[in-house]
PDB file of all heavy atoms in Angstrom:
ATOM      1  N   VAL A   1      17.083   9.409  -8.177  1.00 90.00           N
ATOM      2  CA  VAL A   1      17.748  10.122  -9.266  1.00 90.00           C
ATOM      3  C   VAL A   1      17.519   9.350 -10.561  1.00 90.00           C
ATOM      4  O   VAL A   1      17.660   8.126 -10.578  1.00 90.00           O
ATOM      5  CB  VAL A   1      19.269  10.266  -9.014  1.00 90.00           C
ATOM      6  CG1 VAL A   1      19.928  11.051 -10.148  1.00 90.00           C
ATOM      7  CG2 VAL A   1      19.524  10.959  -7.685  1.00 90.00           C
ATOM      8  N   TRP A   2      17.160  10.065 -11.623  1.00 91.00           N
ATOM      9  CA  TRP A   2      16.969   9.432 -12.912  1.00 91.00           C
ATOM     10  C   TRP A   2      17.554  10.318 -13.996  1.00 91.00           C
ATOM     11  O   TRP A   2      18.329  11.230 -13.718  1.00 91.00           O
ATOM     12  CB  TRP A   2      15.495   9.117 -13.160  1.00 91.00           C
ATOM     13  CG  TRP A   2      14.570  10.304 -13.158  1.00 91.00           C
ATOM     14  CD1 TRP A   2      14.152  11.039 -14.226  1.00 91.00           C
ATOM     15  CD2 TRP A   2      13.927  10.875 -12.005  1.00 91.00           C
ATOM     16  NE1 TRP A   2      13.302  12.028 -13.814  1.00 91.00           N
ATOM     17  CE2 TRP A   2      13.140  11.955 -12.465  1.00 91.00           C
ATOM     18  CE3 TRP A   2      13.930  10.577 -10.642  1.00 91.00           C
ATOM     19  CZ2 TRP A   2      12.358  12.746 -11.608  1.00 91.00           C
ATOM     20  CZ3 TRP A   2      13.174  11.361  -9.792  1.00 91.00           C
ATOM     21  CH2 TRP A   2      12.399  12.426 -10.270  1.00 91.00           C
ATOM     22  N   VAL A   3      17.217  10.063 -15.258  1.00 94.00           N
ATOM     23  CA  VAL A   3      17.858  10.729 -16.387  1.00 94.00           C
ATOM     24  C   VAL A   3      16.804  11.285 -17.332  1.00 94.00           C
ATOM     25  O   VAL A   3      15.728  10.702 -17.495  1.00 94.00           O
ATOM     26  CB  VAL A   3      18.774   9.740 -17.157  1.00 94.00           C
ATOM     27  CG1 VAL A   3      19.333  10.378 -18.434  1.00 94.00           C
ATOM     28  CG2 VAL A   3      19.913   9.264 -16.265  1.00 94.00           C
ATOM     29  N   GLU A   4      17.113  12.418 -17.946  1.00 92.00           N
ATOM     30  CA  GLU A   4      16.343  12.934 -19.072  1.00 92.00           C
ATOM     31  C   GLU A   4      17.260  12.998 -20.284  1.00 92.00           C
ATOM     32  O   GLU A   4      18.411  13.437 -20.177  1.00 92.00           O
ATOM     33  CB  GLU A   4      15.769  14.321 -18.765  1.00 92.00           C
ATOM     34  CG  GLU A   4      14.588  14.286 -17.819  1.00 92.00           C
ATOM     35  CD  GLU A   4      14.011  15.653 -17.521  1.00 92.00           C
ATOM     36  OE1 GLU A   4      14.641  16.663 -17.911  1.00 92.00           O
ATOM     37  OE2 GLU A   4      12.933  15.706 -16.900  1.00 92.00           O
ATOM     38  N   VAL A   5      16.761  12.541 -21.422  1.00 94.00           N
ATOM     39  CA  VAL A   5      17.532  12.524 -22.665  1.00 94.00           C
ATOM     40  C   VAL A   5      16.779  13.323 -23.716  1.00 94.00           C
ATOM     41  O   VAL A   5      15.556  13.225 -23.825  1.00 94.00           O
ATOM     42  CB  VAL A   5      17.797  11.074 -23.138  1.00 94.00           C
ATOM     43  CG1 VAL A   5      16.496  10.290 -23.275  1.00 94.00           C
ATOM     44  CG2 VAL A   5      18.571  11.060 -24.449  1.00 94.00           C
ATOM     45  N   TRP A   6      17.510  14.107 -24.478  1.00 92.00           N
ATOM     46  CA  TRP A   6      16.901  14.940 -25.528  1.00 92.00           C
ATOM     47  C   TRP A   6      16.849  14.154 -26.831  1.00 92.00           C
ATOM     48  O   TRP A   6      17.864  13.662 -27.318  1.00 92.00           O
ATOM     49  CB  TRP A   6      17.706  16.220 -25.725  1.00 92.00           C
ATOM     50  CG  TRP A   6      17.191  17.062 -26.859  1.00 92.00           C
ATOM     51  CD1 TRP A   6      17.554  16.985 -28.175  1.00 92.00           C
ATOM     52  CD2 TRP A   6      16.203  18.092 -26.775  1.00 92.00           C
ATOM     53  NE1 TRP A   6      16.857  17.906 -28.915  1.00 92.00           N
ATOM     54  CE2 TRP A   6      16.026  18.608 -28.090  1.00 92.00           C
ATOM     55  CE3 TRP A   6      15.468  18.638 -25.740  1.00 92.00           C
ATOM     56  CZ2 TRP A   6      15.140  19.640 -28.372  1.00 92.00           C
ATOM     57  CZ3 TRP A   6      14.590  19.665 -26.026  1.00 92.00           C
ATOM     58  CH2 TRP A   6      14.420  20.153 -27.319  1.00 92.00           C
ATOM     59  N   ILE A   7      15.634  14.027 -27.380  1.00 90.00           N
ATOM     60  CA  ILE A   7      15.428  13.366 -28.663  1.00 90.00           C
ATOM     61  C   ILE A   7      14.902  14.411 -29.643  1.00 90.00           C
ATOM     62  O   ILE A   7      13.889  15.060 -29.366  1.00 90.00           O
ATOM     63  CB  ILE A   7      14.443  12.190 -28.559  1.00 90.00           C
ATOM     64  CG1 ILE A   7      14.978  11.148 -27.581  1.00 90.00           C
ATOM     65  CG2 ILE A   7      14.194  11.572 -29.929  1.00 90.00           C
ATOM     66  CD1 ILE A   7      16.292  10.525 -27.986  1.00 90.00           C
ATOM     67  N   GLU A   8      15.594  14.582 -30.753  1.00 86.00           N
ATOM     68  CA  GLU A   8      15.214  15.593 -31.726  1.00 86.00           C
ATOM     69  C   GLU A   8      13.779  15.377 -32.186  1.00 86.00           C
ATOM     70  O   GLU A   8      13.394  14.284 -32.565  1.00 86.00           O
ATOM     71  CB  GLU A   8      16.162  15.543 -32.934  1.00 86.00           C
ATOM     72  CG  GLU A   8      16.086  16.772 -33.825  1.00 86.00           C
ATOM     73  CD  GLU A   8      16.552  18.032 -33.106  1.00 86.00           C
ATOM     74  OE1 GLU A   8      17.542  17.955 -32.350  1.00 86.00           O
ATOM     75  OE2 GLU A   8      15.908  19.074 -33.309  1.00 86.00           O
ATOM     76  N   GLY A   9      12.986  16.450 -32.099  1.00 84.00           N
ATOM     77  CA  GLY A   9      11.598  16.379 -32.515  1.00 84.00           C
ATOM     78  C   GLY A   9      10.651  15.990 -31.402  1.00 84.00           C
ATOM     79  O   GLY A   9       9.429  16.074 -31.567  1.00 84.00           O
ATOM     80  N   LYS A  10      11.184  15.547 -30.261  1.00 85.00           N
ATOM     81  CA  LYS A  10      10.345  15.120 -29.145  1.00 85.00           C
ATOM     82  C   LYS A  10      10.595  15.914 -27.875  1.00 85.00           C
ATOM     83  O   LYS A  10       9.715  16.058 -27.041  1.00 85.00           O
ATOM     84  CB  LYS A  10      10.553  13.625 -28.857  1.00 85.00           C
ATOM     85  CG  LYS A  10      10.126  12.711 -30.001  1.00 85.00           C
ATOM     86  CD  LYS A  10      10.327  11.253 -29.625  1.00 85.00           C
ATOM     87  CE  LYS A  10       9.876  10.331 -30.753  1.00 85.00           C
ATOM     88  NZ  LYS A  10      10.059   8.897 -30.399  1.00 85.00           N
ATOM     89  N   GLY A  11      11.807  16.410 -27.691  1.00 85.00           N
ATOM     90  CA  GLY A  11      12.145  17.128 -26.466  1.00 85.00           C
ATOM     91  C   GLY A  11      12.813  16.230 -25.446  1.00 85.00           C
ATOM     92  O   GLY A  11      13.377  15.182 -25.783  1.00 85.00           O
ATOM     93  N   TRP A  12      12.741  16.633 -24.185  1.00 87.00           N
ATOM     94  CA  TRP A  12      13.365  15.870 -23.105  1.00 87.00           C
ATOM     95  C   TRP A  12      12.454  14.708 -22.689  1.00 87.00           C
ATOM     96  O   TRP A  12      11.316  14.913 -22.307  1.00 87.00           O
ATOM     97  CB  TRP A  12      13.625  16.755 -21.890  1.00 87.00           C
ATOM     98  CG  TRP A  12      14.713  17.763 -22.086  1.00 87.00           C
ATOM     99  CD1 TRP A  12      14.564  19.098 -22.319  1.00 87.00           C
ATOM    100  CD2 TRP A  12      16.120  17.513 -22.062  1.00 87.00           C
ATOM    101  NE1 TRP A  12      15.788  19.696 -22.450  1.00 87.00           N
ATOM    102  CE2 TRP A  12      16.770  18.748 -22.286  1.00 87.00           C
ATOM    103  CE3 TRP A  12      16.898  16.374 -21.867  1.00 87.00           C
ATOM    104  CZ2 TRP A  12      18.159  18.879 -22.326  1.00 87.00           C
ATOM    105  CZ3 TRP A  12      18.280  16.497 -21.908  1.00 87.00           C
ATOM    106  CH2 TRP A  12      18.893  17.727 -22.134  1.00 87.00           C
ATOM    107  N   LEU A  13      12.990  13.499 -22.758  1.00 89.00           N
ATOM    108  CA  LEU A  13      12.244  12.302 -22.373  1.00 89.00           C
ATOM    109  C   LEU A  13      12.800  11.758 -21.059  1.00 89.00           C
ATOM    110  O   LEU A  13      14.008  11.758 -20.828  1.00 89.00           O
ATOM    111  CB  LEU A  13      12.351  11.220 -23.449  1.00 89.00           C
ATOM    112  CG  LEU A  13      11.900  11.584 -24.868  1.00 89.00           C
ATOM    113  CD1 LEU A  13      11.990  10.364 -25.761  1.00 89.00           C
ATOM    114  CD2 LEU A  13      10.494  12.148 -24.861  1.00 89.00           C
ATOM    115  N   THR A  14      11.910  11.279 -20.216  1.00 88.00           N
ATOM    116  CA  THR A  14      12.315  10.709 -18.935  1.00 88.00           C
ATOM    117  C   THR A  14      12.681   9.238 -19.092  1.00 88.00           C
ATOM    118  O   THR A  14      11.910   8.454 -19.636  1.00 88.00           O
ATOM    119  CB  THR A  14      11.178  10.838 -17.900  1.00 88.00           C
ATOM    120  OG1 THR A  14      10.900  12.231 -17.688  1.00 88.00           O
ATOM    121  CG2 THR A  14      11.572  10.202 -16.568  1.00 88.00           C
ATOM    122  N   VAL A  15      13.847   8.871 -18.594  1.00 91.00           N
ATOM    123  CA  VAL A  15      14.288   7.478 -18.590  1.00 91.00           C
ATOM    124  C   VAL A  15      14.858   7.180 -17.206  1.00 91.00           C
ATOM    125  O   VAL A  15      15.738   7.900 -16.729  1.00 91.00           O
ATOM    126  CB  VAL A  15      15.359   7.203 -19.662  1.00 91.00           C
ATOM    127  CG1 VAL A  15      15.775   5.731 -19.619  1.00 91.00           C
ATOM    128  CG2 VAL A  15      14.868   7.570 -21.042  1.00 91.00           C
ATOM    129  N   ASP A  16      14.354   6.149 -16.559  1.00 91.00           N
ATOM    130  CA  ASP A  16      14.873   5.741 -15.250  1.00 91.00           C
ATOM    131  C   ASP A  16      15.728   4.493 -15.433  1.00 91.00           C
ATOM    132  O   ASP A  16      15.216   3.376 -15.494  1.00 91.00           O
ATOM    133  CB  ASP A  16      13.726   5.451 -14.281  1.00 91.00           C
ATOM    134  CG  ASP A  16      14.233   5.183 -12.868  1.00 91.00           C
ATOM    135  OD1 ASP A  16      15.462   5.182 -12.669  1.00 91.00           O
ATOM    136  OD2 ASP A  16      13.413   4.988 -11.960  1.00 91.00           O
ATOM    137  N   PRO A  17      17.042   4.650 -15.538  1.00 92.00           N
ATOM    138  CA  PRO A  17      17.913   3.489 -15.781  1.00 92.00           C
ATOM    139  C   PRO A  17      17.919   2.480 -14.640  1.00 92.00           C
ATOM    140  O   PRO A  17      18.302   1.333 -14.846  1.00 92.00           O
ATOM    141  CB  PRO A  17      19.295   4.121 -15.971  1.00 92.00           C
ATOM    142  CG  PRO A  17      19.219   5.424 -15.257  1.00 92.00           C
ATOM    143  CD  PRO A  17      17.804   5.897 -15.420  1.00 92.00           C
ATOM    144  N   SER A  18      17.502   2.882 -13.447  1.00 89.00           N
ATOM    145  CA  SER A  18      17.453   1.925 -12.342  1.00 89.00           C
ATOM    146  C   SER A  18      16.500   0.782 -12.637  1.00 89.00           C
ATOM    147  O   SER A  18      16.615  -0.309 -12.059  1.00 89.00           O
ATOM    148  CB  SER A  18      17.016   2.630 -11.046  1.00 89.00           C
ATOM    149  OG  SER A  18      17.973   3.583 -10.634  1.00 89.00           O
ATOM    150  N   ARG A  19      15.557   1.010 -13.538  1.00 87.00           N
ATOM    151  CA  ARG A  19      14.590  -0.040 -13.880  1.00 87.00           C
ATOM    152  C   ARG A  19      15.221  -1.175 -14.681  1.00 87.00           C
ATOM    153  O   ARG A  19      14.602  -2.213 -14.873  1.00 87.00           O
ATOM    154  CB  ARG A  19      13.419   0.558 -14.661  1.00 87.00           C
ATOM    155  CG  ARG A  19      12.499   1.387 -13.796  1.00 87.00           C
ATOM    156  CD  ARG A  19      11.195   1.695 -14.504  1.00 87.00           C
ATOM    157  NE  ARG A  19      10.224   2.249 -13.575  1.00 87.00           N
ATOM    158  CZ  ARG A  19       9.423   1.531 -12.811  1.00 87.00           C
ATOM    159  NH1 ARG A  19       9.477   0.222 -12.868  1.00 87.00           N
ATOM    160  NH2 ARG A  19       8.574   2.098 -11.991  1.00 87.00           N
ATOM    161  N   PHE A  20      16.432  -0.977 -15.156  1.00 88.00           N
ATOM    162  CA  PHE A  20      17.111  -2.054 -15.866  1.00 88.00           C
ATOM    163  C   PHE A  20      17.773  -3.035 -14.904  1.00 88.00           C
ATOM    164  O   PHE A  20      18.345  -4.038 -15.338  1.00 88.00           O
ATOM    165  CB  PHE A  20      18.160  -1.483 -16.829  1.00 88.00           C
ATOM    166  CG  PHE A  20      17.576  -0.608 -17.901  1.00 88.00           C
ATOM    167  CD1 PHE A  20      18.085   0.650 -18.154  1.00 88.00           C
ATOM    168  CD2 PHE A  20      16.489  -1.036 -18.640  1.00 88.00           C
ATOM    169  CE1 PHE A  20      17.537   1.454 -19.130  1.00 88.00           C
ATOM    170  CE2 PHE A  20      15.931  -0.229 -19.623  1.00 88.00           C
ATOM    171  CZ  PHE A  20      16.459   1.022 -19.866  1.00 88.00           C
ATOM    172  N   ALA A  21      17.727  -2.743 -13.613  1.00 89.00           N
ATOM    173  CA  ALA A  21      18.263  -3.674 -12.620  1.00 89.00           C
ATOM    174  C   ALA A  21      17.398  -4.925 -12.580  1.00 89.00           C
ATOM    175  O   ALA A  21      16.173  -4.855 -12.702  1.00 89.00           O
ATOM    176  CB  ALA A  21      18.301  -3.021 -11.242  1.00 89.00           C
ATOM    177  N   VAL A  22      18.020  -6.063 -12.403  1.00 86.00           N
ATOM    178  CA  VAL A  22      17.275  -7.320 -12.394  1.00 86.00           C
ATOM    179  C   VAL A  22      16.365  -7.434 -11.183  1.00 86.00           C
ATOM    180  O   VAL A  22      15.426  -8.235 -11.172  1.00 86.00           O
ATOM    181  CB  VAL A  22      18.245  -8.526 -12.430  1.00 86.00           C
ATOM    182  CG1 VAL A  22      19.030  -8.545 -13.722  1.00 86.00           C
ATOM    183  CG2 VAL A  22      19.189  -8.499 -11.221  1.00 86.00           C
ATOM    184  N   ASN A  23      16.607  -6.613 -10.159  1.00 81.00           N
ATOM    185  CA  ASN A  23      15.800  -6.680  -8.933  1.00 81.00           C
ATOM    186  C   ASN A  23      15.282  -5.303  -8.554  1.00 81.00           C
ATOM    187  O   ASN A  23      15.178  -4.975  -7.374  1.00 81.00           O
ATOM    188  CB  ASN A  23      16.625  -7.251  -7.786  1.00 81.00           C
ATOM    189  CG  ASN A  23      17.800  -6.344  -7.422  1.00 81.00           C
ATOM    190  OD1 ASN A  23      18.295  -5.594  -8.268  1.00 81.00           O
ATOM    191  ND2 ASN A  23      18.251  -6.403  -6.186  1.00 81.00           N
ATOM    192  N   PHE A  24      14.942  -4.480  -9.534  1.00 69.00           N
ATOM    193  CA  PHE A  24      14.608  -3.086  -9.247  1.00 69.00           C
ATOM    194  C   PHE A  24      13.432  -2.952  -8.293  1.00 69.00           C
ATOM    195  O   PHE A  24      13.517  -2.268  -7.283  1.00 69.00           O
ATOM    196  CB  PHE A  24      14.293  -2.342 -10.546  1.00 69.00           C
ATOM    197  CG  PHE A  24      13.778  -0.950 -10.319  1.00 69.00           C
ATOM    198  CD1 PHE A  24      14.604   0.024  -9.805  1.00 69.00           C
ATOM    199  CD2 PHE A  24      12.463  -0.624 -10.603  1.00 69.00           C
ATOM    200  CE1 PHE A  24      14.143   1.312  -9.583  1.00 69.00           C
ATOM    201  CE2 PHE A  24      11.985   0.655 -10.385  1.00 69.00           C
ATOM    202  CZ  PHE A  24      12.827   1.625  -9.879  1.00 69.00           C
TER     203      PHE A  24
END
């Protein structure tokens, strides 16, 4: 499971917050 965030002028961007884990 990951996240999509809407950025004005760009659309939906994919961001995987699990990658911020120190041991991902």
